[in-house]
Amino acid sequence: MENEIIKTSDITGLDAETMALIAQAAQTQGEEETSSIPFLSVKGKKFTLGEEKLGIILNVVILADVFDHAYYDRPYDPDVISPPACFAINTSNSDLAPSSTSPTPQAENCSVCPMNEFGSSQNGKGKACRNGRRLLIAATTNGVPDLDNLAIINLAPTSLKAYARYAKGLATVKKLPIWAVITTLSFDDDSAWPQIVPTFNGVLDGQYINSIAPMLPEIANAISVPYDISGYVPMETSTTKKSKMS
C-alpha cells in the first residue's frame, strides 16, 4: 500500500555495512527536515515565543495555514513527550492521509479512519485523533509585516470554528486571501482553554502583498514539515490498538 511503513529490516539482500549507511542517512535526513521556524506557545492564554512574553494580543499576517491531524497512541505524559503514532498534514482537508513517515498509520486516509470519528476518544465524546491547524505568521508593526521573523502557531480543536469562519468571511465577503490582510489574534475570555479568536484589522499595503506573493510556494513547504518521529517507541502489543494498515 502507498502509505505502508517499510523498515530497513524489511529489505532483503542488504549487507551490514549498507544497512548501517541507510540508518545513518535516514537519521540525518530526519534531523535536517525538521522545521527551523519556532513555535509560538499559547499556554495560560498568553502568547510566548521561547522566553519572550508577547502578551495577549498579536497583530500578524497569516502567511499560510495547513490542516494538521495527529493521533497519539498513549496518554499524555509531560515528562516523556512522545511523537504521534500517526499524523497527516495537508493544505486540503479532503486530501488528508497519513504521512509516509507516520510510525503506525491508522487508515488509508483520514476520512475513513476510526480514530478520526467522534466517540473514539478514551476521555469523552471527541476524537482520538487531534484535529488542528498550523498557522505560519509574521508579526506586524504599524501595518508593516516582518517577513524575516516568522513563527508557527498550532490551533487546537476548540479554535477551529472561529478560524474557519474568519477565513471563509475574508474569501467570500472581502474577496481576499488570508495573507493579504492584517489579523488580530486574541483569546476568548469566556473559554477556560486558550481559544484563539482571529479578527480583521485592515488590508496590507500593495507593496507588501507584492513581496509575499512570490514566497507562497516556499512558505507552504516550510509549514508542512512532518513531525519529528525519531523518538517514537512502539507501544507494547498488548496495549496498542491494531492498525487498520496491518
Side-chain angles (χ1 to χ4, degrees):
M1 296 183 183
E2 182 179 354
N3 290 313
E4 186 177 359
I5 298 298
I6 303 297
K7 301 181 178 64
T8 306
S9 57
D10 296 325
I11 306 174
T12 59
L14 293 179
D15 57 37
E17 184 178 353
T18 303
M19 289 182 67
L21 179 63
I22 289 176
Q24 180 60 47
Q27 180 179 347
T28 301
Q29 178 176 310
E31 292 171 352
E32 291 180 348
E33 291 302 323
T34 56
S35 177
S36 60
I37 302 174
F39 280 78
L40 201 67
S41 170
V42 297
K43 187 177 181 179
K45 292 189 178 182
K46 295 178 181 178
F47 294 108
T48 307
L49 188 61
E51 299 298 324
E52 184 180 3
K53 301 183 186 302
L54 304 178
I56 59 174
I57 297 176
L58 292 181
N59 290 320
V60 305
V61 175
I62 300 173
L63 299 171
D65 58 27
V66 292
F67 293 90
D68 177 2
H69 287 188
Y71 166 68
Y72 295 83
D73 58 3
R74 65 205 70 197
Y76 174 71
D77 183 348
D79 297 322
V80 183
I81 304 299
S82 175
C86 181
F87 66 90
I89 302 168
N90 205 303
T91 55
S92 170
N93 190 37
S94 59
D95 292 331
L96 278 167
S99 167
S100 60
T101 61
S102 291
T104 312
Q106 298 295 302
E108 292 281 357
N109 58 68
C110 295
S111 64
V112 298
C113 181
M115 300 305 171
N116 197 38
E117 296 178 358
F118 286 103
S120 59
S121 172
Q122 296 181 355
N123 300 316
K125 298 180 180 180
K127 299 179 179 182
C129 180
R130 179 192 60 77
N131 291 180
R133 294 185 81 161
R134 293 183 192 176
L135 309 182
L136 180 63
I137 62 174
T140 64
T141 303
N142 298 324
V144 179
D146 185 353
L147 300 178
D148 292 325
N149 293 296
L150 308 178
I152 295 174
I153 185 169
N154 285 325
L155 294 186
T158 53
S159 298
L160 297 185
K161 285 186 179 180
Y163 180 75
R165 185 166 53 247
Y166 170 67
K168 185 174 183 178
L170 285 178
T172 57
V173 178
K174 297 186 180 297
K175 309 297 182 184
L176 290 169
I178 198 83
W179 49 268
V181 306
I182 299 172
T183 300
T184 297
L185 300 179
S186 59
F187 296 99
D188 184 349
D189 291 334
D190 296 328
S191 174
W193 304 97
Q195 183 173 330
I196 296 175
V197 180
T199 52
F200 175 73
N201 196 12
V203 180
L204 278 176
D205 187 276
Q207 63 176 314
Y208 303 121
I209 295 178
N210 287 337
S211 64
I212 291 173
M215 299 170 56
L216 294 177
E218 182 180 350
I219 287 170
N221 289 332
I223 198 174
S224 299
V225 173
Y227 283 86
D228 178 5
I229 50 87
S230 59
Y232 180 81
V233 178
M235 291 281 284
E236 294 294 331
T237 304
S238 60
T239 58
T240 304
K241 294 182 179 179
K242 186 175 179 62
S243 167
K244 296 297 181 180
M245 299 293 289
S246 57

